Amino acid sequence: MEERVKVVYKEKKSTGKTISIIILIILLLCSLSYIGYNEYQKLITDNEKEKVVEERQLYYSEVETMMKQIELYNYIFKDAYPIEDINSIDNQLKLKFGIYALKEVENINNYYKIEDMEEIYNDYFVDGFNAIYEDINCDAKDDVLYELNDQTKTYTEKSGHEHDNPTVDIDTYFVKGEIDNNEYIIDTHILYSNYCNGTCNPMGGYYKSYNDVVKGTNPVTYRRSEYKNIKDTLPTTVYTFVKEKNRFKLKNIDTNY
């Protein structure tokens, strides 16, 4: 009896299919690596940007702009510091600032329009600052200094005023500045001198506060050139601004004695 030979057929594996799977796995790993690398680079870039914002120094032009604004604030608000809330400023001072800024910045000498004053407020103070429009009294509170025409919404200087308002010289020195997020903080020293109200202070001298120069008491020096020698004894007046577009808007003013 013949023995039958059993033939076993071995199934041939598909080489092309295996290669395709391997290629897909490699592409998947490459994609995941690429995504991970991009996310890592983005994280590094974001951290570097934050570091740049934190460490960026003020530009000279920025300091110059804010210091010019500070001179305007000082001239009108000198007796109101510190100011934690700009809307707590006396309404008459708000109006006087609007008039004074139009004179100094826009070179307007009469017929001060309310709409122009509102534009000044928008440029120089954070959002929410507002004023009540009324006649502006002189500092002696004995007469109207600027009269409001309700129909034309315009202020005009009242003629025949018998005396001048008090005057004082204010020297403001930049101490340092920093940026905290979008807040620009400027530290200054202020010296007051040459106060006149009908008559001038015969003693002369430079004073660290407006009250002192009015009273003529406690002068810190008699020479402005000695500022460097006395600066460490002076209080610091700190102005905080918020930058919006290309404008620096005052948020508050603090004094550190």
Side-chain angles (χ1 to χ4, degrees):
M1 183 176 181
E2 289 185 10
E3 185 178 352
R4 293 185 177 181
V5 179
K6 187 177 181 181
V7 179
V8 178
Y9 294 96
K10 187 175 181 181
E11 186 177 354
K12 187 177 180 181
K13 291 184 179 180
S14 176
T15 305
K17 192 174 184 180
T18 303
I19 293 174
S20 297
I21 293 172
I22 293 172
I23 291 173
L24 287 174
I25 293 173
I26 293 172
L27 290 175
L28 178 61
L29 291 174
C30 289
S31 298
L32 291 174
S33 299
Y34 178 76
I35 293 171
Y37 177 78
N38 280 348
E39 289 298 319
Y40 175 71
Q41 288 295 109
K42 183 180 178 182
L43 181 62
I44 291 176
T45 302
D46 290 343
N47 288 338
E48 287 179 348
K49 285 181 179 178
E50 289 179 5
K51 188 175 181 181
V52 168
V53 170
E54 290 175 359
E55 295 182 354
R56 183 176 85 75
Q57 299 297 312
L58 286 166
Y59 298 123
Y60 175 82
S61 59
E62 293 175 327
V63 174
E64 185 179 38
T65 296
M66 285 182 279
M67 288 298 292
K68 286 181 179 179
Q69 292 182 207
I70 285 170
E71 290 178 358
L72 298 179
Y73 302 134
N74 287 346
Y75 190 84
I76 300 297
F77 303 140
K78 53 190 175 289
D79 195 24
Y81 296 160
I83 301 173
E84 295 182 6
D85 177 8
I86 56 172
N87 263 320
S88 67
I89 299 170
D90 181 81
N91 191 65
Q92 286 283 307
L93 290 179
K94 292 179 180 180
L95 297 175
K96 288 175 181 177
F97 180 87
I99 297 291
Y100 182 68
L102 287 176
K103 286 182 177 181
E104 295 297 310
V105 178
E106 303 297 334
N107 199 29
I108 298 174
N109 293 310
N110 211 342
Y111 303 106
Y112 309 97
K113 296 180 180 179
I114 286 179
E115 62 180 344
D116 292 336
M117 294 172 67
E118 289 178 339
E119 188 173 341
I120 287 291
Y121 296 148
N122 182 64
D123 288 343
Y124 283 82
F125 301 94
V126 294
D127 295 344
F129 183 90
N130 59 77
I132 299 171
Y133 297 99
E134 60 185 359
D135 289 342
I136 303 174
N137 300 318
C138 92
D139 291 343
K141 299 180 180 179
D142 61 351
D143 199 359
V144 172
L145 191 60
Y146 296 95
E147 194 168 29
L148 174 62
N149 185 314
D150 290 325
Q151 279 70 45
T152 61
K153 304 297 182 184
T154 303
Y155 282 95
T156 54
E157 190 168 1
K158 190 173 180 182
S159 60
H161 207 70
E162 296 182 356
H163 61 84
D164 295 327
N165 278 318
T167 61
V168 64
D169 290 341
I170 304 174
D171 293 304
T172 308
Y173 299 86
F174 173 78
V175 177
K176 67 176 183 177
E178 61 178 312
I179 305 172
D180 184 4
N181 292 322
N182 195 41
E183 290 188 349
Y184 289 64
I185 303 167
I186 302 295
D187 289 13
T188 68
H189 289 152
I190 302 175
L191 288 178
Y192 302 87
S193 62
N194 297 325
Y195 175 77
C196 297
N197 187 11
T199 59
C200 298
N201 177 8
M203 300 299 294
Y206 292 83
Y207 301 79
K208 65 181 181 181
S209 74
Y210 182 70
N211 287 335
D212 283 350
V213 75
V214 170
K215 296 175 183 177
T217 58
N218 305 316
V220 292
T221 184
Y222 285 93
R223 294 182 180 179
R224 185 168 51 187
S225 59
E226 294 181 350
Y227 162 73
K228 290 184 179 180
N229 298 329
I230 63 166
K231 64 180 182 179
D232 292 337
T233 68
L234 297 176
T236 303
T237 304
V238 183
Y239 304 79
T240 300
F241 296 86
V242 174
K243 188 175 183 180
E244 293 184 14
K245 295 182 179 179
N246 62 336
R247 299 298 307 181
F248 296 97
K249 300 187 177 186
L250 182 67
K251 180 180 178 182
N252 56 52
I253 302 172
D254 195 12
T255 51
N256 299 324
Y257 281 87

